[in-house]
Amino acid sequence: MRLTAPFAVLALAASTVLATVPSAYAAPAAPAPAAAPATDGATPPMPSGRTDYRTLADYQSDMDRLAERHPNLVKKVTLPHRTTEGRPVTGIEVTRDAHRADGKPVLMITGMHHGNEWASGEVTMEFAFDLLKNHGRDKTITRLLDRVRVLFVPVVNVDGFVLNTRRTATNTDMNRNYGFGWSPSEPFPGTGPWSEPESRNVRDAISSRQVTTFLTMHTCLANILYPPLQLKAGLPQDIDAFRAFAGALGNQNGYYHTTSAEDYETAGEAIDWSYYATRGLGVTVEVCTNPPTGLPRTWQTLVPEQYWGIDAVRGKGNRGAFLVALRQAADRAQHSVITGEAPKGAVLTVTKGFDMWTNPIPQSDGTSRPVSFAQRLTSTMRSDGGRFTWHVNPSIRPEPPYQADGVHGDRAGRFLRESWTLTCARPDGKVLQTVKVTVDRGESKRVNLNQCRKLWHRH
Ligand SMILES: [Zn+2]
């Protein structure tokens, strides 16, 4: 649920109306995902075999167990910041050869920005079980895990989950704390942009990887949301791609899709920052019974039935939506590719840095103006020798609505022609060559690293 208690009644009414809006979902471009197991009409058991909600200890032991069982397919991850109450925030990366610093595109799936939205963590964790169970058995899943790295962080707001509250231990709504477009007039936004370790964790996880596709799971509206968060911010430049992607997700889980602003207006959410920082497509998925009102909300109706799908989407559900996201992440037409030849063992890094802005914030001198923060994207891969293929987000960035002089709504077709700075370095960090790469969505660029290859063999 994206709402605070005082607005709950209003939201219930709004979502009842919106749920009846027909939507012409775009058909998914790729072949149908691997079918759910046949169970003669009954909802199948969850991939993990669980029959109730997890505790925090359950999440941790499940991730540990998967890493032990599948050492080549699972890499354990701890995000850089402990929570306010000192807890670690952990996840797993799932892919073939998980411990290699390869150049695969990354799909990130997070649960529980809101600590009381339990089903959002459950479906996230179950999809990890599902992939690992089917790798090597199911052709589609095996092929996709050969091409995509999936980062699962089922509980990003750990303190909130332990306290069973929407907000963090500082009483902040972490999904109003992202710095881009941050506004103090939102309910519980934190003391400033990025004031919370929990939002900084998601920022740093995305900023240090090539997250080309991002799903942030919530409950409980049965919809799919993408930028903008505010009507005055205007539509994102990649609105057609957002609609096609969200439509393909909706074909699976049966949820309608719309801009977050048209659902209701907010500021400082994960999806808005991630798109305007990286151009990777990020959407909020509100897992719920469909329609979201009138049906009981139990583990059975929110977890297995929404995971596997019932009625019109039986055999699809959010599992099908996750598989669509996996295919979206694998599709090179949806991101960018850098190729070249580098010496075996060379460390390749791409970086770019720029400033981003909040909404106008009232200042002590009585004026109101946006505040900037520095944004840096840095990710690394290691060359196996010979030709490398690196799946990255485009270097060309959408011009953001939140700028130094306020909010700009009409930016259709406006992009900033930025470049990645790519370095080829020895493992000790000595940079042998630096090149600029300008690459757009769907493009592939080859870089010439002859200088790095020549210097590599000199001592
Ligand atoms: Zn939520």
Side-chain angles (χ1 to χ4, degrees):
M1 173 102 85
R2 303 171 66 233
L3 297 163
T4 48
F7 304 113
V9 175
L10 188 71
L12 232 51
S15 56
T16 308
V17 175
L18 285 168
T20 62
V21 174
S23 199
Y25 296 132
T39 51
D40 299 327
T43 301
M46 295 309 288
S48 70
R50 283 196 68 89
T51 56
D52 198 359
Y53 289 108
R54 288 172 172 84
T55 63
L56 184 62
D58 292 333
Y59 277 107
Q60 197 53 59
S61 65
D62 277 351
M63 287 191 278
D64 291 343
R65 188 152 54 105
L66 289 175
E68 273 164 36
R69 261 194 222 159
H70 308 276
N72 296 322
L73 295 173
V74 178
K75 180 185 173 189
K76 292 207 263 184
V77 172
T78 301
L79 300 191
H81 310 282
R82 287 195 167 235
T83 65
T84 297
E85 295 192 338
R87 297 186 176 92
V89 180
T90 59
I92 48 173
E93 289 184 346
V94 177
T95 189
R96 187 179 71 178
D97 299 330
H99 298 275
R100 273 184 51 201
D102 56 23
K104 293 193 194 98
V106 178
L107 163 64
M108 182 171 182
I109 308 177
T110 61
M112 262 184 288
H113 267 73
H114 295 139
N116 56 357
E117 298 178 358
W118 297 354
S120 70
E122 290 295 329
V123 294
T124 302
M125 193 70 241
E126 291 293 341
F127 188 55
F129 272 89
D130 202 334
L131 289 181
L132 290 163
K133 204 167 152 178
N134 281 302
H135 183 267
R137 283 189 208 174
D138 179 293
K139 240 186 191 162
T140 305
I141 287 175
T142 307
R143 207 179 57 227
L144 287 168
L145 281 185
D146 287 351
R147 293 162 64 195
V148 179
R149 180 177 295 265
V150 191
L151 170 57
F152 293 94
V153 187
V155 186
V156 289
N157 177 6
V158 177
D159 292 350
F161 179 53
V162 169
L163 301 165
N164 191 21
T165 166
R166 172 185 175 87
R167 297 187 286 272
T168 65
T170 62
N171 203 25
T172 299
D173 185 335
M174 75 170 276
N175 208 30
R176 302 292 181 274
N177 189 243
Y178 288 76
F180 179 64
W182 183 86
S183 169
S185 49
E186 285 299 312
F188 310 101
T191 53
W194 306 114
S195 60
E196 305 309 301
E198 292 86 355
S199 56
R200 294 201 299 273
N201 268 336
V202 179
R203 175 195 67 187
D204 293 352
I206 289 177
S207 299
S208 59
R209 289 170 177 79
Q210 295 294 338
V211 177
T212 63
T213 310
F214 174 37
L215 297 184
T216 171
M217 309 303 290
H218 286 253
T219 70
C220 192
L221 286 169
N223 65 16
I224 301 160
L225 304 168
Y226 39 83
L229 307 181
Q230 296 183 294
L231 294 170
K232 66 181 178 185
L235 291 173
Q237 286 83 339
D238 291 293
I239 184 63
D240 292 343
F242 270 114
R243 284 181 177 144
F245 176 43
L249 297 173
N251 263 344
Q252 298 295 320
N253 59 18
Y255 304 164
Y256 72 92
H257 64 89
T258 184
T259 67
S260 186
E262 287 170 288
D263 182 36
Y264 66 98
E265 294 191 274
T266 64
E269 289 195 32
I271 54 167
D272 208 36
W273 165 77
S274 69
Y275 170 68
Y276 283 102
T278 72
R279 209 178 165 189
L281 297 190
V283 300
T284 297
V285 179
E286 291 271 358
V287 176
C288 202
T289 55
N290 193 7
T293 53
L295 296 168
R297 290 178 183 180
T298 63
W299 179 84
Q300 179 64 29
T301 63
L302 290 181
V303 181
E305 290 183 7
Q306 291 308 310
Y307 188 76
W308 297 110
I310 56 163
D311 302 335
V313 293
R314 180 175 295 282
K316 298 179 180 175
N318 279 293
R319 176 187 197 256
F322 285 138
L323 288 167
V324 164
L326 198 51
R327 282 205 312 261
Q328 166 89 11
D331 180 0
R332 50 200 290 166
Q334 304 294 333
H335 54 260
S336 307
V337 176
I338 301 173
T339 64
E341 280 182 51
K344 185 176 170 62
V347 177
L348 306 175
T349 303
V350 289
T351 71
K352 78 206 279 265
F354 42 88
D355 286 339
M356 297 186 88
W357 300 84
T358 66
N359 253 293
I361 298 173
Q363 304 294 311
S364 50
D365 63 4
T367 63
S368 187
R369 56 186 160 78
V371 170
S372 74
F373 60 92
Q375 174 66 52
R376 180 151 284 279
L377 307 173
T378 303
S379 57
T380 293
M381 73 171 286
R382 189 175 280 253
S383 166
D384 286 335
R387 189 186 150 94
F388 66 86
T389 303
W390 199 350
H391 296 265
V392 297
N393 275 312
S395 69
I396 295 176
R397 183 165 60 100
E399 193 178 291
Y402 304 107
Q403 296 183 21
D405 60 349
V407 186
H408 296 258
D410 183 16
R411 291 160 291 98
R414 295 172 73 107
F415 289 91
L416 302 167
R417 247 194 115 66
E418 295 174 347
S419 304
W420 287 114
T421 299
L422 185 151
T423 57
C424 181
R426 292 191 193 279
D428 67 5
K430 182 170 174 47
V431 173
L432 302 179
Q433 190 179 356
T434 301
V435 293
K436 297 275 187 191
V437 195
T438 309
V439 64
D440 207 346
R441 204 159 161 270
E443 276 187 344
S444 179
K445 284 280 172 74
R446 187 182 165 77
V447 293
N448 181 337
L449 297 179
N450 282 349
Q451 186 190 324
C452 182
R453 292 160 67 196
K454 224 162 83 188
L455 292 175
W456 184 265
H457 298 290
R458 282 193 206 158
H459 296 283

